[in-house]
Amino acid sequence: MKGWSGRLLWIDLTRKESKVVEYPAEWSLMYLGGRGLAARILWEYMKPGADPLGPDNLLILAIGPLTGLPGPSTGKLQVAAKSPLTGGYGDGNVGTTFSNEMRKAGLDAVVFSGVSDKPVVVEIENTKVNFEPADDLWGLDTWTAEERLRKRYGRFAGIVEIGPAGERLVKFATIISQEGRSGGRPGIGAVMGSKKIKAVVMRGSEKYELYDSKEYMAEATKALIEIKNRPGYPFWMRQGTMATIDWAQETSVLPTYNFDEGVFDGFKGIDGYTMESMKVEQRGCPNCNMQCGNVVLDRAGVKSELDYENVALLGSNLGIDHLADAAYLNRIGDQMGYDTESLGTTLSWAIEASQAGLLKDYDGGLRLEWGDAKTLADVAYQIANRSTPLGDLLAEASSGACRKVGGCDFSMDVKGLGVSAYDCHAAPGMALAFATSPIGAHHKDAWVISWEVQNDRFAYSKEKAAKVIELQRIRGGLFESFTTCRLPWVEVGLNIEHYPLLLYYSTGVKYTWDDLYAIGDRVYALIRAIWIREKGSWSRDYDMPPVKWFKRPLTKGPLSGMHLDYDKYNQLLNYYYELRGWDYNGVPTKATLHRLGLDFVIPELEKYVKLS
Ligand code: PTT
Ligand code: SF4
């Protein structure tokens, strides 16, 4: 088969040994790559019940059959492990030249097991591995560390690294590359830190073959031209995801004051037009002709690369109405190496907790206020370094902190992961998408909200549950496994029919849409099996959205008074389970597992739950 190398590089950090492993071809066909491959590897090789920050956890860097090829936005890398934040499956997606180098190295995945005794930079050249001491880099922020590594390894090397947050095992630390690209919201950077890997450097120089290079190039070129000719392309190039601020305000979903409200009086100070007036540079991931990294100068005059999610959660959600202040917090996130979305949900929880008097044993008399960007920035550094009792507490994210001091009824998370930037008081479908996302409350698997606000918004219908599943299949199942950026399809409307063709010309395998949807469903069921195995039990309580959306109605804007309804949400969840072939508790049935070719998980799952 072409398109996949069929090889993974296994690196044992404890023994400082590595080997190339040929994995079964069936895995490529059934799981594609990226997320799907990572899930299959975790199921097969991770010791059940592994400590997420111990030697038995596996850190996986994976690509798919379209990654790193010329074509629409293909420069993405999947990073996955058991999450120290949620205790379940965790992953993320980073735009980085690392993935291009991995393709040239002839590797579909790199798997790290064990723990190094000292900080290291793992240098990979094709399949040759070298462990370089990283004492001189340990403690450095991600920008400085990467700059030094570039001097050492050259401009074209693929480099991913962690910052102080990953080193100090902040539960929402991420893996960073190229200054503004971050992946692995559920603490995948902390897993890398626990293994004492400061950075991984990838250089590849092998030739790879595609099934039909000529047809592949013709199809890829067609797709790239189509992207540039789409009507939304010019505006996308101006604002990228930042256009969402105005839309979220108009539709009352802009997270405001720790998701108390869906509208923010100061939204104009942080919106896409303000960003345009401040823009100094445009960047993005490799292999992309619709680059969306909008760079502005932050409050300190330093460059910061913005997206909607981080601006909403570090802006309106904290009561901040100056883009330069939100950009400052965002830049701290990139340099310290943690997830800006969880930083936003954790700080907003902390303000509410501080005002309720819950932090008095930790805050040394400090009272946190909405909009106080300067104090919040100080706290952000304390979190990254765990340098104060308050910072150490908040490094556990709102979900971990509230278990110590109370306030879990206003921690905006699902399964421990902070919700992305969409208020769901009046959006039951998006609430379902967050609640059933396979890594905790991330919008990446099913951004159903734009469809929802136009289609019977307040309904808790079977049609809505079906739409969530359809999007989860394509976004979470396929794009995460192709591994390429989904935004050409989502944001500028690239015809999705290019993808099966690109896949065929890359691999020689003709997938129908039924085959592809089955892959999406298989990846979801397998990830759910990992969760059940790691939690040792399961119930539908895991698939509930944050209680605030049920209990505290909106008080501002045109949807004032709206909130989610428990009984109706439970019915929506029933529809979802029924359509997926999962039982009342959200466990895939034996028939579903059999249909998806996952019989091998049945004996293991039967140790923890009763399968119907
Ligand atoms: C993604 C999540 C997002 S989703 C945003 S903004 W978004 C936040 N960005 C962060 C950041 O930046 N710095 C930081 N320290 N933490 C951050 N946390 C948040 O991380 C990102 C883009 C974006 S911007 C989106 S929607 C799309 N996401 C994709 C995805 O998930 N899969 C996929 N196949 N394609 C995607 N394309 C888009 O990529 P996580 P990136 Mg990120 C400053 O990875 O863990 O999934 O979290 O990858 O290279 O930075 O690109 O409005
Ligand atoms: Fe990266 Fe944006 Fe291009 Fe996607 S559209 S590959 S996120 S620069």
Side-chain angles (χ1 to χ4, degrees):
M1 276 187 311
K2 306 288 195 303
W4 298 279
S5 69
R7 298 191 303 183
L8 50 95
L9 181 63
W10 192 288
I11 300 179
D12 180 335
L13 292 152
T14 307
R15 296 177 183 191
K16 301 280 187 309
E17 287 172 2
S18 65
K19 62 181 176 195
V20 173
V21 177
E22 305 224 339
Y23 67 85
E26 185 190 275
W27 290 11
S28 303
L29 296 173
M30 290 178 72
Y31 305 94
L32 284 182
R35 170 183 268 183
L37 179 61
R40 188 66 185 87
I41 292 170
L42 276 178
W43 179 270
E44 188 76 19
Y45 297 117
M46 187 182 72
K47 198 169 152 201
D51 172 359
L53 298 175
D56 292 332
N57 197 1
L58 303 177
L59 171 65
I60 300 166
L61 311 181
I63 61 172
L66 299 183
T67 316
L69 300 176
S73 308
T74 61
K76 290 280 190 180
L77 175 74
Q78 196 70 218
V79 299
K82 179 174 176 180
S83 158
L85 178 63
T86 67
Y89 174 84
D91 69 19
N93 206 293
V94 200
T96 170
T97 55
F98 191 99
S99 47
N100 291 357
E101 294 301 306
M102 214 167 135
R103 155 85 46 195
K104 288 191 277 168
L107 295 168
D108 294 338
V110 181
V111 183
F112 295 95
S113 64
V115 170
S116 172
D117 53 346
K118 293 203 174 105
V120 283
V121 172
V122 181
E123 238 184 72
I124 304 170
E125 189 158 4
N126 298 319
T127 54
K128 212 173 99 230
V129 179
N130 186 31
F131 302 90
E132 279 289 315
D135 303 293
D136 57 329
L137 300 175
W138 202 251
L140 293 183
D141 69 77
T142 59
W143 293 11
T144 313
E146 188 165 327
E147 196 190 342
R148 290 211 192 156
L149 288 167
R150 287 221 172 272
K151 280 195 186 131
R152 210 184 290 168
Y153 296 102
R155 202 151 62 90
F156 299 109
I159 301 175
V160 292
E161 71 275 341
I162 57 165
E167 295 170 14
R168 293 188 174 80
L169 312 181
V170 172
K171 292 284 167 61
F172 49 93
T174 55
I175 296 178
I176 304 279
S177 191
Q178 298 173 200
E179 296 195 346
R181 322 308 305 176
S182 155
R185 296 188 56 217
I188 309 305
V191 175
M192 185 154 152
S194 73
K195 298 196 175 300
K196 293 233 165 36
I197 306 171
K198 179 67 184 178
V200 187
V201 180
M202 174 69 73
R203 284 175 299 179
S205 56
E206 288 185 7
K207 279 215 169 79
Y208 56 82
E209 278 184 62
L210 302 182
Y211 172 69
D212 189 334
S213 302
K214 205 162 144 245
E215 287 298 328
Y216 178 91
M217 282 310 295
E219 191 61 31
T221 308
K222 253 195 248 167
L224 290 171
I225 293 171
E226 188 181 315
I227 288 173
K228 289 208 162 186
N229 288 332
R230 294 293 304 161
Y233 180 80
F235 189 58
W236 171 260
M237 293 307 286
R238 280 169 48 196
Q239 295 204 357
T241 59
M242 284 293 293
T244 313
I245 296 272
D246 284 356
W247 173 84
Q249 173 78 6
E250 273 162 32
T251 53
S252 294
V253 302
L254 183 65
T256 302
Y257 303 123
N258 195 30
F259 291 83
D260 264 0
E261 307 295 347
V263 291
F264 180 52
D265 289 343
F267 77 99
K268 284 206 173 304
I270 56 167
D271 75 358
Y273 293 98
T274 299
M275 182 280 295
E276 275 194 69
S277 71
M278 294 167 63
K279 197 195 288 201
V280 292
E281 197 181 319
Q282 188 133 355
R283 296 182 193 151
C285 312
N287 318 351
C288 177
N289 69 342
M290 46 177 279
Q291 301 229 323
C292 66
N294 289 304
V295 181
V296 301
L297 297 183
D298 68 17
R299 198 183 67 198
V302 180
K303 288 180 181 176
S304 176
E305 187 176 331
L306 303 177
D307 294 296
Y308 165 71
E309 304 289 335
N310 35 42
V311 171
L313 288 167
L314 297 172
S316 50
N317 195 44
L318 301 178
I320 289 176
D321 57 6
H322 279 89
L323 192 59
D325 287 336
Y328 185 59
L329 287 165
N330 176 67
R331 196 244 304 166
I332 294 174
D334 287 345
Q335 288 182 315
M336 295 296 106
Y338 51 35
D339 170 31
T340 49
E341 294 194 60
S342 301
L343 179 66
T345 52
T346 298
L347 289 175
S348 62
W349 173 85
I351 297 171
E352 217 176 315
S354 166
Q355 300 189 352
L358 297 178
L359 301 181
K360 57 184 181 318
D361 294 340
Y362 294 85
D363 62 13
L366 180 77
R367 189 182 145 92
L368 299 177
E369 303 285 354
W370 300 113
D372 182 357
K374 189 180 170 315
T375 306
L376 294 173
D378 289 345
V379 175
Y381 279 117
Q382 292 166 28
I383 294 173
N385 294 307
R386 288 187 182 265
S387 57
T388 60
L390 182 63
D392 194 41
L393 176 75
L394 298 180
E396 299 298 303
S398 65
S399 51
C402 80
R403 284 199 291 274
K404 291 191 180 155
V405 301
C408 285
D409 52 343
F410 54 85
S411 169
M412 299 306 294
D413 71 273
V414 175
K415 301 181 180 73
L417 181 68
V419 290
S420 312
Y422 304 93
D423 185 82
C424 294
H425 280 90
M430 191 66 222
L432 177 72
F434 280 139
T436 57
S437 152
I439 63 166
H442 200 323
H443 67 292
K444 75 173 168 187
D445 280 81
W447 192 66
V448 74
I449 197 153
S450 65
W451 176 88
E452 183 169 38
V453 295
Q454 294 169 48
N455 291 279
D456 208 358
R457 173 163 185 178
F458 309 115
Y460 294 71
S461 60
K462 196 167 192 174
E463 186 197 5
K464 207 171 261 189
K467 188 70 187 175
V468 169
I469 293 173
E470 180 196 326
L471 290 178
Q472 288 179 335
R473 281 176 177 147
I474 299 176
R475 296 167 62 112
L478 298 179
F479 278 100
E480 295 312 308
S481 303
F482 286 158
T483 299
T484 66
C485 180
R486 63 170 185 264
L487 297 186
W489 166 64
V490 176
E491 297 289 355
V492 300
L494 175 68
N495 187 343
I496 198 149
E497 294 301 337
H498 288 291
Y499 288 92
L501 289 172
L502 290 171
L503 211 50
Y504 174 55
Y505 298 133
S506 166
T507 66
V509 183
K510 246 186 189 151
Y511 287 103
T512 64
W513 274 106
D514 282 347
D515 299 332
L516 291 172
Y517 280 164
I519 291 173
D521 290 349
R522 183 176 301 124
V523 172
Y524 260 62
L526 179 61
I527 291 179
R528 177 124 309 197
I530 294 174
W531 275 91
I532 296 167
R533 184 179 75 173
E534 296 312 310
K535 292 286 177 188
S537 65
W538 198 255
S539 89
R540 59 194 279 132
D541 292 347
Y542 283 113
D543 292 335
M544 293 303 284
V547 288
K548 188 183 257 194
W549 288 334
F550 293 96
K551 290 199 169 159
R552 278 205 232 165
L554 295 171
T555 67
K556 292 210 174 91
L559 300 182
S560 177
M562 293 291 298
H563 61 91
L564 293 181
D565 180 290
Y566 266 113
D567 291 342
K568 289 182 184 167
Y569 176 81
N570 269 305
Q571 182 54 44
L572 186 65
L573 189 57
N574 288 344
Y575 290 140
Y576 176 90
Y577 289 161
E578 185 194 321
L579 290 165
R580 276 220 170 276
W582 297 1
D583 71 11
Y584 176 79
N585 280 315
V587 176
T589 63
K590 277 188 194 168
T592 301
L593 292 168
H594 178 68
R595 176 170 53 81
L596 297 172
L598 296 174
D599 297 271
F600 59 90
V601 307
I602 293 175
E604 183 67 19
L605 289 191
E606 281 180 327
K607 293 182 191 165
Y608 313 108
V609 286
K610 193 165 171 335
L611 292 181
S612 18

